[in-house]
Short mmCIF file of all heavy atoms in Angstrom, two decimals:
data_model
loop_
_atom_site.label_atom_id
_atom_site.label_comp_id
_atom_site.label_asym_id
_atom_site.label_seq_id
_atom_site.Cartn_x
_atom_site.Cartn_y
_atom_site.Cartn_z
N ILE A 254 53.95 43.35 45.53
CA ILE A 254 54.87 43.22 46.64
C ILE A 254 54.47 44.03 47.81
O ILE A 254 55.06 43.93 48.93
CB ILE A 254 56.31 43.64 46.18
CG1 ILE A 254 56.38 45.11 45.86
CG2 ILE A 254 56.77 42.75 45.02
CD1 ILE A 254 57.83 45.59 45.49
N ALA A 255 53.47 44.92 47.65
CA ALA A 255 53.05 45.80 48.78
C ALA A 255 52.71 45.02 50.06
O ALA A 255 53.14 45.43 51.19
CB ALA A 255 51.90 46.66 48.34
N PRO A 256 51.96 43.90 49.99
CA PRO A 256 51.61 43.23 51.25
C PRO A 256 52.84 42.67 52.00
O PRO A 256 52.79 42.56 53.22
CB PRO A 256 50.73 42.06 50.75
CG PRO A 256 50.14 42.53 49.48
CD PRO A 256 51.23 43.33 48.86
N ARG A 257 53.94 42.40 51.27
CA ARG A 257 55.15 41.86 51.93
C ARG A 257 56.12 42.97 52.33
O ARG A 257 57.11 42.70 53.03
CB ARG A 257 55.89 40.93 50.93
CG ARG A 257 54.98 39.76 50.60
CD ARG A 257 55.56 38.67 49.75
NE ARG A 257 56.85 38.80 49.17
CZ ARG A 257 57.07 38.95 47.85
NH1 ARG A 257 56.04 39.00 47.00
NH2 ARG A 257 58.25 39.04 47.40
N LEU A 258 55.84 44.20 51.91
CA LEU A 258 56.65 45.33 52.31
C LEU A 258 58.10 45.19 51.96
O LEU A 258 59.00 45.61 52.73
CB LEU A 258 56.49 45.62 53.84
CG LEU A 258 55.07 45.95 54.33
CD1 LEU A 258 55.09 46.13 55.84
CD2 LEU A 258 54.55 47.23 53.64
N ILE A 259 58.38 44.57 50.81
CA ILE A 259 59.79 44.43 50.39
C ILE A 259 60.15 45.63 49.49
O ILE A 259 59.28 46.35 49.03
CB ILE A 259 60.03 43.13 49.65
CG1 ILE A 259 59.28 43.05 48.31
CG2 ILE A 259 59.65 41.93 50.51
CD1 ILE A 259 59.63 41.92 47.46
N ARG A 260 61.45 45.79 49.30
CA ARG A 260 61.93 46.96 48.57
C ARG A 260 61.88 46.76 47.08
O ARG A 260 61.78 45.60 46.57
CB ARG A 260 63.39 47.25 49.04
CG ARG A 260 63.43 47.69 50.48
CD ARG A 260 64.86 47.85 50.93
NE ARG A 260 65.56 48.93 50.23
CZ ARG A 260 66.81 49.32 50.44
NH1 ARG A 260 67.50 48.72 51.39
NH2 ARG A 260 67.36 50.27 49.75
N ALA A 261 61.91 47.87 46.35
CA ALA A 261 61.87 47.80 44.85
C ALA A 261 62.60 49.03 44.31
O ALA A 261 62.56 50.11 44.87
CB ALA A 261 60.42 47.77 44.38
N THR A 262 63.25 48.77 43.18
CA THR A 262 63.73 49.85 42.32
C THR A 262 62.97 49.66 40.98
O THR A 262 63.05 48.57 40.35
CB THR A 262 65.23 49.71 42.04
OG1 THR A 262 65.92 49.87 43.29
CG2 THR A 262 65.68 50.78 41.12
N LEU A 263 62.23 50.65 40.59
CA LEU A 263 61.40 50.56 39.41
C LEU A 263 61.80 51.69 38.44
O LEU A 263 61.59 52.86 38.74
CB LEU A 263 59.94 50.72 39.76
CG LEU A 263 59.39 49.73 40.81
CD1 LEU A 263 57.96 50.03 41.17
CD2 LEU A 263 59.48 48.27 40.27
N GLU A 264 62.37 51.32 37.32
CA GLU A 264 62.77 52.26 36.29
C GLU A 264 61.77 52.12 35.15
O GLU A 264 61.81 51.11 34.42
CB GLU A 264 64.20 52.05 35.83
CG GLU A 264 64.82 53.24 35.09
CD GLU A 264 64.61 53.09 33.62
OE1 GLU A 264 65.39 52.37 32.95
OE2 GLU A 264 63.73 53.80 33.04
N LEU A 265 60.88 53.07 35.01
CA LEU A 265 59.69 52.91 34.17
C LEU A 265 59.70 53.81 32.97
O LEU A 265 60.76 54.14 32.44
CB LEU A 265 58.47 53.13 35.04
CG LEU A 265 58.44 52.30 36.36
CD1 LEU A 265 57.26 52.63 37.20
CD2 LEU A 265 58.56 50.83 36.05
N GLY A 266 58.50 54.20 32.45
CA GLY A 266 58.42 54.85 31.18
C GLY A 266 58.84 56.28 31.17
O GLY A 266 59.13 56.93 32.22
N GLY A 267 58.84 56.89 29.97
CA GLY A 267 59.26 58.27 29.81
C GLY A 267 58.66 58.87 28.59
O GLY A 267 58.16 58.20 27.69
N LYS A 268 58.67 60.19 28.57
CA LYS A 268 58.18 60.96 27.43
C LYS A 268 58.99 62.27 27.42
O LYS A 268 58.53 63.36 27.65
CB LYS A 268 56.66 61.29 27.58
CG LYS A 268 56.00 61.81 26.30
CD LYS A 268 55.87 60.76 25.21
CE LYS A 268 55.12 61.31 24.02
NZ LYS A 268 55.09 60.32 22.90
N GLY A 269 60.27 62.10 27.21
CA GLY A 269 61.22 63.17 27.40
C GLY A 269 60.99 64.36 26.47
O GLY A 269 60.75 64.23 25.25
N ALA A 270 61.13 65.54 27.06
CA ALA A 270 61.05 66.84 26.28
C ALA A 270 62.47 67.29 25.92
O ALA A 270 63.33 67.41 26.79
CB ALA A 270 60.37 67.88 27.16
N ASN A 271 62.67 67.50 24.64
CA ASN A 271 63.95 67.91 24.08
C ASN A 271 63.73 69.37 23.60
O ASN A 271 63.15 69.60 22.53
CB ASN A 271 64.41 67.01 22.97
CG ASN A 271 65.92 66.97 22.81
OD1 ASN A 271 66.63 67.80 23.36
ND2 ASN A 271 66.40 65.99 22.03
N ILE A 272 64.22 70.39 24.36
CA ILE A 272 63.81 71.77 24.10
C ILE A 272 64.94 72.49 23.29
O ILE A 272 66.12 72.48 23.70
CB ILE A 272 63.63 72.50 25.44
CG1 ILE A 272 62.68 71.71 26.36
CG2 ILE A 272 63.14 73.94 25.18
CD1 ILE A 272 62.56 72.29 27.72
N VAL A 273 64.56 73.11 22.18
CA VAL A 273 65.50 73.82 21.36
C VAL A 273 65.17 75.33 21.47
O VAL A 273 64.14 75.81 20.95
CB VAL A 273 65.47 73.40 19.89
CG1 VAL A 273 66.49 74.17 19.07
CG2 VAL A 273 65.70 71.88 19.76
N PHE A 274 66.05 76.08 22.12
CA PHE A 274 65.90 77.51 22.20
C PHE A 274 66.52 78.23 20.98
O PHE A 274 67.40 77.71 20.29
CB PHE A 274 66.52 78.05 23.50
CG PHE A 274 65.76 77.70 24.74
CD1 PHE A 274 66.15 76.67 25.57
CD2 PHE A 274 64.58 78.45 25.07
CE1 PHE A 274 65.39 76.36 26.71
CE2 PHE A 274 63.82 78.15 26.22
CZ PHE A 274 64.25 77.10 27.04
N GLU A 275 66.05 79.46 20.79
CA GLU A 275 66.48 80.24 19.57
C GLU A 275 67.99 80.53 19.58
O GLU A 275 68.58 80.73 18.48
CB GLU A 275 65.67 81.51 19.45
CG GLU A 275 65.87 82.43 20.67
CD GLU A 275 64.91 83.64 20.58
OE1 GLU A 275 64.18 83.74 19.58
OE2 GLU A 275 64.94 84.49 21.51
N ASP A 276 68.63 80.54 20.73
CA ASP A 276 70.06 80.90 20.77
C ASP A 276 70.93 79.63 20.70
O ASP A 276 72.18 79.71 20.88
CB ASP A 276 70.41 81.69 22.02
CG ASP A 276 70.16 80.86 23.31
OD1 ASP A 276 69.29 79.96 23.27
OD2 ASP A 276 70.86 81.10 24.29
N ALA A 277 70.35 78.45 20.44
CA ALA A 277 71.12 77.21 20.42
C ALA A 277 71.98 77.13 19.15
O ALA A 277 71.71 77.80 18.16
CB ALA A 277 70.22 76.00 20.52
N ASP A 278 73.00 76.26 19.17
CA ASP A 278 73.66 75.89 17.97
C ASP A 278 72.72 74.95 17.26
O ASP A 278 72.54 73.77 17.66
CB ASP A 278 74.98 75.17 18.33
CG ASP A 278 75.78 74.67 17.15
OD1 ASP A 278 75.15 74.36 16.06
OD2 ASP A 278 77.01 74.57 17.21
N LEU A 279 72.06 75.45 16.22
CA LEU A 279 70.96 74.72 15.65
C LEU A 279 71.34 73.40 14.97
O LEU A 279 70.59 72.43 14.89
CB LEU A 279 70.14 75.58 14.70
CG LEU A 279 69.51 76.85 15.29
CD1 LEU A 279 68.65 77.57 14.26
CD2 LEU A 279 68.67 76.49 16.50
N ASP A 280 72.58 73.39 14.41
CA ASP A 280 73.05 72.15 13.77
C ASP A 280 73.21 71.08 14.84
O ASP A 280 72.78 69.90 14.64
CB ASP A 280 74.38 72.41 13.06
CG ASP A 280 74.21 73.22 11.79
OD1 ASP A 280 73.11 73.17 11.16
OD2 ASP A 280 75.15 73.97 11.42
N ARG A 281 73.90 71.41 15.93
CA ARG A 281 74.10 70.40 17.02
C ARG A 281 72.73 70.05 17.63
O ARG A 281 72.47 68.85 17.93
CB ARG A 281 74.96 71.01 18.13
CG ARG A 281 76.42 71.03 17.82
CD ARG A 281 77.21 71.47 19.03
NE ARG A 281 77.00 70.52 20.18
CZ ARG A 281 77.26 70.87 21.46
NH1 ARG A 281 77.68 72.08 21.75
NH2 ARG A 281 77.04 69.97 22.37
#
Side-chain angles (χ1 to χ4, degrees):
I254 67 176
R257 299 184 353 246
L258 299 177
I259 67 172
R260 295 175 62 178
T262 299
L263 305 175
E264 197 267 282
L265 308 177
K268 193 71 176 176
N271 207 348
I272 308 170
V273 181
F274 286 102
E275 60 187 358
D276 65 332
D278 180 330
L279 298 185
D280 289 331
R281 283 187 59 200

